[in-house]
Structures are given as structure tokens and as C-alpha cells.
Amino acid sequence: AQSVTQLDSQVPVFEEAPVELRCNYSSSVSVYLFWYVQYPNQGLQLLLKYLSGSTLVKGINGFEAEFNKSQTSFHLRKPSVHISDTAEYFCAVSVRDDKIIFGKGTRLHILP
Amino acid sequence: DAGVIQSPRHEVTEMGQEVTLRCKPISGHNSLFWYRQTMMRGLELLIYFNNNVPIDDSGMPEDRFSAKMPNASFSTLKIQPSEPRDSAVYFCASSSSAGAALAQHFGDGTRLSIL
């Protein structure tokens, strides 16, 4: 079975500072990996996805993530955050079937 | 291009009442998912359909919950009878292919409160 662990439930960061949200997964087979973002009172939106190929994946809103197979990680990064990035971020894994397993989420707080 | 549409956005009802949540997926999408989100348990997959057929309902918590997809453009999630522990935000999502992990599009959710 697959699982996803988001190591931080909350991450505070100053505006214009860089941020990294950590995600580790567990699977005995190859996986697809995703990051979704949830703004208040909204559903989840896809930020980026790793299916195969280049391990560095670029997404929307200036975010990127790097797939590291040896460390079973898929950390999300942004070099300079903005107040509008305040949201909850979900890492997710799938093994090529219809189901996605979501992590518990990381709340990103942007400090002025 | 309309996204996934859920109704109602908010529902408040007394325990024991029947609750019906509705979802209209994106046109042309053939997979539909129902999720429940709570602070304690996070985001849980309840059931998903492919081409209107339920594929996996192992996440449905108990017999009080049922879901249907009578056609490609409509699905319902019903709770009968409702209980306070069912209070949560319920999301519907759709995607365009089996092996639907490639991109799920979420609605804005129904916030359900059972008193």
C-alpha cells in the first residue's frame, strides 16, 4: 500500500523569503506524485505533478518540486513567497490506478 | 469552461434527517470522486465512479452513506440518517480518463453541519 507523509503541519515564513514544504512517500512500485493547493473555502487545485522524466517539475504560481527516488521525497519549493500563497498544500501519490492518496496537508502562513 | 459544480454550498440539518449532496462533473470527464475532509482525518476518498459505474466504495464509512451516478453529468451522495459525526466538508472531483490520477478537478465543496 502507498502512503504520504507531510512532515510539517504548519510552516510560517516571511514574505519574499524562500520556502520548502516537505513530503515523503512510501510505495513498493513506481508512483505518480502531485502537489495540490487549497485556498480558504475552496476545493483543491493541482499545482504540479511528476509522472516520469525530469525529476525537477515546475508548476503554477512559481512553485517547483524535485522527485528524489532514493530518498522517496517530493519536496515543494518556491524562491520567494507572496501573501497570496497563504493556503494549505497537499502532497499526493498514485500508482497508475484511479485513486490518489493525499497527505494530511501543510498550512503555509506568510508573515508580513 | 465551467468547473465541477457542487450543491448546496452549505447545509445545516438536524441529526436523523436525510441529506443529499449533488455534483455536476466537468463535461467530458468520465471519472468522478467523492471525498470527505475533516480536521481529524484530513481528506478521505469515499467512492469513485468510472463511466458512471462505482469502482471502489471501500471508503464509504457505513451503510448510512450511499452514492449514485445515474448519468455522466450528475452524481449524488446521500446520508440517511445523518449523525453529528458526519459534519465535514464534502468534495466532488472529476477527471478525464481512467487512470485518473493525471489530473483531478475539484468542486468548491459542501460544508455539512449536523446538529
Side-chain angles (χ1 to χ4, degrees), chain A residues 102, chain B residues 33-36 43-46 89-91 93 104 106:
Chain A
F102 286 90
Chain B
F33 306 79
W34 281 102
Y35 291 90
R36 178 172 67 177
L43 196 64
E44 303 172 277
L45 176 64
L46 300 178
V89 182
Y90 291 81
F91 288 102
Q104 290 188 16
F106 282 73

Side-chain angles (χ1 to χ4, degrees), chain A residues 23-73:
Chain A
C23 173
N24 286 93
Y25 69 92
S26 173
S27 176
S28 58
V29 298
S30 296
V31 297
Y32 293 140
L33 293 160
F34 308 83
W35 277 98
Y36 281 78
V37 60
Q38 184 179 28
Y39 299 105
N41 299 315
Q42 294 186 24
L44 279 68
Q45 301 174 33
L46 182 67
L47 264 183
L48 49 79
K49 60 190 177 190
Y50 171 78
L51 305 181
S52 64
S54 173
T55 58
L56 183 62
V57 181
K58 293 190 183 297
I60 62 172
N61 301 340
F63 284 92
E64 65 181 30
E66 186 160 18
F67 170 58
N68 188 319
K69 188 175 181 179
S70 63
Q71 297 186 9
T72 61
S73 68

Side-chain angles (χ1 to χ4, degrees), chain A residues 4 8 11-12 14 25 31 33-35 39 48 53 67 79 81-82 85 87 94 96 104:
Chain A
V4 177
D8 305 295
V11 172
F14 287 103
Y25 69 92
V31 297
L33 293 160
F34 308 83
W35 277 98
Y39 299 105
L48 49 79
F67 170 58
V81 296
H82 187 266
D85 294 322
S94 177
R96 296 183 174 82
K104 295 287 189 186

Side-chain angles (χ1 to χ4, degrees), chain B residues 1-2 24-32 50-52 69 72-73 94-98 105:
Chain B
D1 183 20
K24 177 178 170 54
I26 292 172
S27 178
H29 284 190
N30 60 357
S31 291
L32 183 140
N50 184 254
N51 293 324
N52 311 338
M69 192 165 186
S73 59
S94 69
S95 65
S96 62
S97 60
H105 299 258

